[in-house]
Amino acid sequence: MLAASELECVRGERRLFAGVSFTLGAGDGLVVHGANGAGKTSLLRIVLGLALPASGEVTWTGRPIRGLGEAYRRDLVYCGHSNALKDDLSAVENVRAAAALSRGRITREEARAALARAGVAAEADLPVRNLSQGQKRRTALARLAPGGARLWVLDEPLSALDAGGVEWLAGVLDAHLERGGLALVTSHQALPVRARLSTLQLGSR
């Protein structure tokens, strides 16, 4: 369903990686490892269609993503290393805004339910600026579930999470993969999921 073929990434005069290929079908997860500067985030940006590879191609359901536009973006959800939350909005408003921009509107009750599952129900109506870093991360990750996107792209999702948050996210990932979803993840930490995840090592150059 998601395939990368011979991807090469160059930044300035430096080649970050070359010859990167993988295929993910329903229920598959891939964890990308590599030292800082190896190109993990750059790879995710290419898969998201936010950056072009120097060579190679990414396809979704057999078609190049560069020609799919919104049809592809509606099928995926992205949580970056930065939480990308609006500090002036409440946690509920942030979850609803993210859904409206990608996969369609959700109700306030659906947003509250997602936040409750993420362990931040009590903070749902607070401006995000008042939340701790761990609570902000949970709020950002609460945007994964509403809307049913098939492909999850997560950049260091365990950042700022405590042990309880890591356990919660592992359960969310397992459930997503069991439903036939796909996940592409970068992480410096081990993901304690039940599902068997493939790995991809990027070497810095």
Side-chain angles (χ1 to χ4, degrees):
M1 190 173 291
L2 176 72
S5 177
E6 295 295 321
L7 294 180
E8 179 183 11
C9 179
V10 176
R11 290 291 177 265
E13 296 183 356
R14 179 171 174 247
R15 177 190 285 171
L16 297 183
F17 56 78
V20 170
S21 300
F22 60 83
T23 301
L24 297 179
D28 289 340
L30 176 67
V31 181
V32 182
H33 298 293
N36 291 337
K40 299 186 299 298
T41 298
S42 294
L43 174 60
L44 296 194
R45 287 179 57 81
I46 290 170
V47 170
L48 291 166
L50 299 176
L52 293 174
S55 63
E57 189 168 63
V58 177
T59 61
W60 177 245
T61 61
R63 299 168 60 192
I65 62 170
R66 64 179 180 274
L68 295 177
E70 287 300 320
Y72 178 52
R73 287 186 281 275
R74 282 195 299 269
D75 266 343
L76 67 84
V77 61
Y78 170 59
C79 186
H81 191 268
S82 170
N83 291 320
L85 300 169
K86 293 187 178 295
D87 283 346
D88 292 337
L89 299 182
S90 69
V92 163
E93 290 167 336
N94 268 283
V95 171
R96 295 190 72 197
L101 286 172
S102 57
R103 301 172 306 285
R105 298 183 182 277
I106 61 171
T107 66
R108 184 171 291 271
E109 291 70 29
E110 288 171 325
R112 286 184 181 280
L115 290 164
R117 290 191 293 269
V120 283
E123 293 75 27
D125 294 312
L126 293 178
V128 163
R129 72 164 70 89
N130 295 340
L131 304 186
S132 70
Q133 288 304 310
Q135 290 167 341
K136 288 179 181 179
R137 195 59 175 164
R138 285 175 181 253
T139 298
L141 292 165
R143 298 176 298 190
L144 293 173
R150 288 188 286 172
L151 172 60
W152 290 5
V153 181
L154 312 179
D155 195 1
E156 297 294 341
L158 304 185
S159 175
L161 290 181
D162 59 14
V166 170
E167 183 178 356
W168 161 74
L169 180 59
V172 170
L173 267 172
D174 272 324
H176 175 64
L177 296 174
E178 287 170 4
R179 290 192 299 268
L182 295 76
L184 177 62
V185 185
T186 70
S187 182
H188 284 102
Q189 302 169 249
L191 286 163
V193 296
R194 297 189 308 273
R196 184 173 181 178
L197 304 176
S198 300
T199 60
L200 172 65
Q201 181 73 37
L202 296 181
S204 59
R205 302 188 178 194

